[in-house]
Amino acid sequence: MKSLWGRPFSTVVLIALASLLSWPILGGRGALMLLAALLLALLFHHLDNLTTLYRWLQNPRLDTVPIGSGSWEYVFSPLRRMLKRQKQSEAVLTAALDRFQMAGAALPDAVVILDEGDRIEWCNPRAADYFGLHLERDRGQQITYLLRQPQFVDHLESGNTSEPLVLRMSRDDGEMMLAIQQVPYGDHQKLILGRDITRWERLETTRRDFVANVSHELRTPLTVVGGFLETLEDMTTPDPEMTRRSLQLMMQQTSRMTRLVEDLLTLSRLESTQNPLREEDVSIPELVRVLHQDAQILSAGRHRLLLKPESGDWLRGNTDELRSAFGNLVSNAVRYTPENGEIEIRWELLAGNHPAFSVRDSGIGIEPQHIDRLTERFYRVDRSRSRETGGTGLGLAIVKHVLVRHQARLEIQSTPGKGSTFSVIFPETRRLPAKGQAVAAKEHA
């Protein structure tokens, strides 16, 4: 302040001294005119700087701050320093805002910022995917004008921040389940968070269906066993034939429950991340011969069984898992092929050196709408027939998991009333030449 007021005061003092010194020379009138002229010049100097300041204020920029002269230098210099600090602060804030927006854009969840009137202030790109919002287009819009589902409107108006709203959204590629949470913050503002829980909802549905199916599958044999036990307990006079028949049926139901539990344990083991695939060299020609023998025992002469091991190649894989998968396909063919039908077991090498195991039957066949769901747990085309043949409903689910662990795929071709062919196709990388071929190749090399 001393510097700011000192210079104009000194200027006025100098003008006054100059006028007094000129008094003897110019006389009183001339000295007064000189004083007036100097004061007028000083006034024009300040007016000129004020005009410059006013013009600059119309478009204030750091690089165009006036330099000023005289006392005005003490006005413009601090102004320049203040603007420089402000620009530096703006740069820091802009960088922070950019980082915030980049972080918001990278979030896997949708984020929408609403003002006190529920108008959109900002949203990240995921909000465009989930809610169909676009920041440049929808900024300042009332969100309930864009998301008009009654459940969402009610949830927003309720101010419920403790429980998320599960909302079903329609999209071009199907339905999506969103968990929407509102979080209050700042001065009556809100964050709307949206998370895609479609996968978790499907898993939860699968879990509920799985528990329900297991309970249903176990309830029937347990009811049968319990009923016969009550009958035997209530018998005052033992009936040998009734006792024998009851014990036979109880053993059948017990065996059915045992197979179900064993299949459940197999599925659990195949799905466990703590159970990596233990690989070995597997002689598939020998394995298909064993499966052919098992099929003959299961068929008991009711079918014509053909074995066609057209390749001597081995596989790199797990013997027990491959036997379980192949065995399920063979036993299904036997169970679902009428008496006097034909079943063919084949091991061959397809184009591209892809090893393939296939089972062809002349059974009842499968309608096209069922084929894509055959590997689902407990999915049955004909439930009554499946139970009659002793199936647990988990065989093809086990097959699918074994093939996934071996990078193989299952192809199903079926014609209702004419039969089906189930083919397991392995990648070339799992093919091993037969041991005799490998030895010959080494000797030739």
Side-chain angles (χ1 to χ4, degrees), residues 324-399:
S324 175
F326 294 172
N328 271 301
L329 296 179
V330 172
S331 61
N332 281 348
V334 173
R335 285 199 298 266
Y336 291 104
T337 300
E339 190 171 348
N340 298 322
E342 182 178 276
I343 299 171
E344 177 186 281
I345 303 172
R346 183 187 294 267
W347 172 245
E348 59 187 329
L349 189 64
L350 302 180
N353 291 326
H354 291 284
F357 171 84
S358 62
V359 179
R360 180 185 61 80
D361 64 63
S362 59
I364 60 176
I366 306 166
E367 296 287 345
Q369 67 269 22
H370 297 295
I371 290 179
D372 290 340
R373 300 190 60 188
L374 288 178
T375 56
E376 295 180 12
R377 299 174 182 182
F378 297 110
Y379 184 82
R380 292 186 173 97
V381 176
D382 186 341
R383 288 186 174 272
S384 60
R385 182 177 178 85
S386 297
R387 292 194 177 93
E388 289 174 2
T389 57
T392 64
L394 297 174
L396 289 179
I398 291 174
V399 171

Side-chain angles (χ1 to χ4, degrees), residues 176-282:
M176 173 188 290
M177 300 296 293
L178 290 179
I180 300 175
Q181 182 93 34
Q182 57 174 316
V183 181
Y185 83 103
D187 188 14
H188 305 293
Q189 293 176 297
K190 296 176 184 175
L191 279 178
I192 301 297
L193 306 177
R195 172 167 295 182
D196 182 5
I197 59 170
T198 307
R199 178 172 176 267
W200 305 114
E201 282 291 315
R202 288 173 181 168
L203 289 175
E204 180 62 18
T205 301
T206 301
R207 184 195 66 80
R208 288 195 300 265
D209 292 345
F210 178 72
V211 171
N213 282 322
V214 170
S215 302
H216 180 74
E217 293 294 332
L218 289 174
R219 185 185 298 114
T220 300
L222 285 173
T223 301
V224 172
V225 171
F228 280 117
L229 289 175
E230 289 179 1
T231 301
L232 293 175
E233 184 182 23
D234 294 340
M235 290 176 60
T236 55
T237 303
D239 183 343
E241 180 60 26
M242 180 64 178
T243 301
R244 185 190 66 80
R245 178 62 178 165
S246 298
L247 291 174
Q248 183 181 17
L249 291 175
M250 284 191 289
M251 288 182 63
Q252 290 177 358
Q253 297 300 325
T254 303
S255 298
R256 177 181 170 187
M257 286 188 289
T258 301
R259 289 194 301 272
L260 177 60
V261 171
E262 288 175 348
D263 283 351
L264 287 172
L265 291 174
T266 299
L267 268 179
S268 176
R269 185 174 63 253
L270 292 173
E271 292 177 336
S272 174
T273 57
Q274 306 300 320
N275 179 36
L277 183 66
R278 292 188 293 272
E279 298 185 359
E280 57 191 338
D281 294 352
V282 184

Side-chain angles (χ1 to χ4, degrees), residues 69-109:
S69 59
S71 60
W72 284 93
E73 181 181 350
Y74 291 91
V75 176
F76 291 127
S77 293
L79 186 60
R80 186 180 297 106
R81 289 193 297 270
M82 181 184 68
L83 287 176
K84 188 174 182 180
R85 288 194 300 269
Q86 181 181 358
K87 192 172 185 66
Q88 291 172 345
S89 299
E90 287 179 356
V92 172
L93 291 175
T94 300
L97 181 60
D98 290 341
R99 289 194 298 270
F100 167 77
Q101 290 183 343
M102 286 190 294
L107 287 174
D109 299 335

Side-chain angles (χ1 to χ4, degrees), residues 129-131 167-171 173-178 195-198 202:
D129 298 335
Y130 292 177
F131 301 133
L167 193 63
R168 189 183 302 273
M169 304 288 289
S170 297
R171 299 177 56 180
D173 55 351
E175 286 189 336
M176 173 188 290
M177 300 296 293
L178 290 179
R195 172 167 295 182
D196 182 5
I197 59 170
T198 307
R202 288 173 181 168

Side-chain angles (χ1 to χ4, degrees), residues 415-430:
T415 302
K418 294 185 178 180
S420 307
T421 300
F422 288 75
S423 301
V424 178
I425 302 174
F426 294 89
E428 181 186 3
T429 53
R430 289 204 169 270

